[in-house]
């Protein structure tokens, strides 16, 4: 089974044996994040291929040589926020995804950032021994090493069985967020649900996600931008929204780790300058 990931304009990419074997068509024409960081002014299949090959060569994505300790990629990404939450004791553990391992439970902030800092929308993966071993050596728990399945609900259940209560979990599907909120009540947990990879959500899906998440990335989703009523917002081009008080507290805590100067102000949210938004929003 090959690995499937969606990245850079939600382009479907298939990787097998450390090689890119298929690249689909982008759904987004321009992303301000990648324009700024990588200088990509137009997203094309060739640019996507080059970016995926760069990730494979740079830090070993989808290979046994995967580096699991990486620098911060952005100031306020999902993994960066979780890393700070773990470091400050605001979270007991996290449930996230890593290629070659699937769903992973980890309370190691460096590992959480290493797995997720450069991760895009992982769709499907298979076990990679080097990655699984690296995660386990750093104290991470792979939900199913034999299949590398991705199942955040089962991951939270496993984390609860291990005695964790304050759990951050990333979700890419609105119904998963809703199911997790129900599980939180059932098991007496304190979840921080973080929406990721939201490009392409329709209005109904975006509404369910916003109603159940504490934090969400906006990616290139016009629906999320239209529906979200954030208590805090970070960034204006590809903003991250804190939707609940506990989500806001975690984002504000993350701000303490940012080395560059910060502007803190009060105003109606969201703030979305038209010229900064990704093109061809879905």
């Amino acid at each position: 089974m090959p690995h499937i990931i969606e990245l850079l304009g939600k382009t479907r990419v298939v990787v097998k044996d450390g090689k890119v074997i298929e690249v689909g068509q982008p759904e987004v024409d321009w992303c301000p994040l990648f324009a700024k960081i990588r200088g990509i002014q137009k997203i094309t299949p060739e640019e996507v291929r080059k970016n995926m090959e760069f990730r494979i060569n740079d830090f070993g994505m989808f290979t046994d040589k995967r580096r699991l300790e990486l620098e911060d990629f952005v100031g306020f990404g999902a993994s960066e926020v979780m890393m700070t939450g773990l470091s400050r004791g605001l979270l007991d553990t996290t449930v996230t995804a890593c290629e070659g391992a699937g769903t992973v439970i980890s309370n190691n902030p460096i590992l959480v950032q290493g797995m997720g800092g450069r991760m895009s929308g992982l769709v499907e993966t298979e076990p990679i021994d080097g990655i699984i071993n690296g995660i386990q050596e750093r104290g991470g728990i792979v939900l199913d090493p034999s299949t590398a399945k991705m199942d955040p609900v089962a991951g939270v259940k496993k984390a609860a069985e291990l005695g964790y209560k304050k759990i951050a979990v990333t979700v890419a599907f609105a119904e998963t967020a809703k199911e997790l909120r129900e599980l939180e009540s059932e098991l007496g947990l304190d979840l921080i649900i973080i929406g990721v990879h939201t490009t392409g959500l329709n209005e109904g899906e975006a509404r369910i996600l916003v109603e159940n998440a504490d934090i969400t990335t906006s990616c290139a989703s016009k629906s999320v931008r239209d529906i979200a009523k954030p208590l805090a917002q970070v960034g204006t081009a590809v903003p991250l929204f804190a939707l609940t008080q506990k989500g806001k507290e975690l984002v504000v805590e993350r701000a303490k780790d940012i080395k560059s100067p910060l502007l803190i102000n009060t105003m109606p949210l969201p703030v979305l300058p038209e010229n900064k938004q990704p093109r061809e929003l879905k």
Side-chain angles (χ1 to χ4, degrees), residues 116-277:
R118 307 278 288 276
M119 177 59 65
S120 296
L122 188 62
V123 175
E124 190 174 286
T125 193
E126 65 176 357
I128 298 175
D129 290 343
I131 295 177
I132 292 172
N133 293 338
I135 289 169
Q136 292 174 338
E137 287 167 3
R138 292 165 175 80
I141 299 168
V142 177
L143 179 64
D144 190 341
S146 65
T147 65
K149 72 175 180 180
M150 292 186 293
D151 188 337
V153 174
V156 168
K157 288 179 180 177
K158 178 67 174 179
E161 290 172 6
L162 294 170
Y164 295 115
K165 293 288 186 184
K166 295 185 291 184
I167 305 167
V169 51
T170 55
V171 301
F173 300 103
E175 287 298 331
T176 305
K178 183 178 179 181
E179 186 176 352
L180 283 166
R181 200 53 86 193
E182 294 167 355
L183 183 67
E184 175 185 40
S185 177
E186 178 187 331
L187 299 182
L189 303 175
D190 183 7
L191 298 184
I192 292 282
I193 299 174
I194 303 177
V196 296
H197 195 51
T198 59
T199 297
L201 293 183
N202 63 38
E203 182 179 343
E205 292 167 334
R207 192 170 302 281
I208 292 170
L209 178 68
V210 167
E211 287 172 353
N212 288 280
D214 297 285
I215 297 170
T216 189
T217 59
S218 60
C219 299
S221 173
K222 186 175 187 301
S223 296
V224 169
R225 285 167 169 75
D226 289 344
I227 292 168
K229 304 297 181 187
L231 300 183
Q233 173 181 332
V234 181
T236 56
V238 186
L240 178 135
F241 298 135
L243 303 168
T244 65
Q245 182 61 29
K246 60 184 179 180
K248 177 181 177 182
E249 290 172 5
L250 194 56
V251 169
V252 170
E253 193 68 30
R254 171 63 189 165
K256 298 177 184 179
D257 286 340
I258 303 300
K259 299 295 190 289
S260 56
L262 294 169
L263 169 66
I264 299 176
N265 197 6
T266 58
M267 62 185 67
L269 298 176
V271 174
L272 303 166
E274 186 174 349
N275 67 325
K276 287 189 173 184
Q277 306 311 301

Side-chain angles (χ1 to χ4, degrees), residues 36-54:
K36 177 180 179 181
I37 294 174
R38 299 290 178 216
I40 299 172
Q41 295 303 324
K42 182 176 177 59
I43 299 173
T44 64
E46 182 55 30
E47 287 290 353
V48 174
R49 175 183 292 274
K50 285 161 53 178
N51 185 263
M52 186 70 256
E53 290 174 344
F54 169 77

Side-chain angles (χ1 to χ4, degrees), residues 18-38:
K19 303 291 183 183
V20 177
I21 62 171
E22 183 183 323
V23 179
Q25 289 296 321
E27 292 188 13
V28 175
D29 176 71
W30 179 78
C31 172
L33 178 62
F34 281 92
K36 177 180 179 181
I37 294 174
R38 299 290 178 216

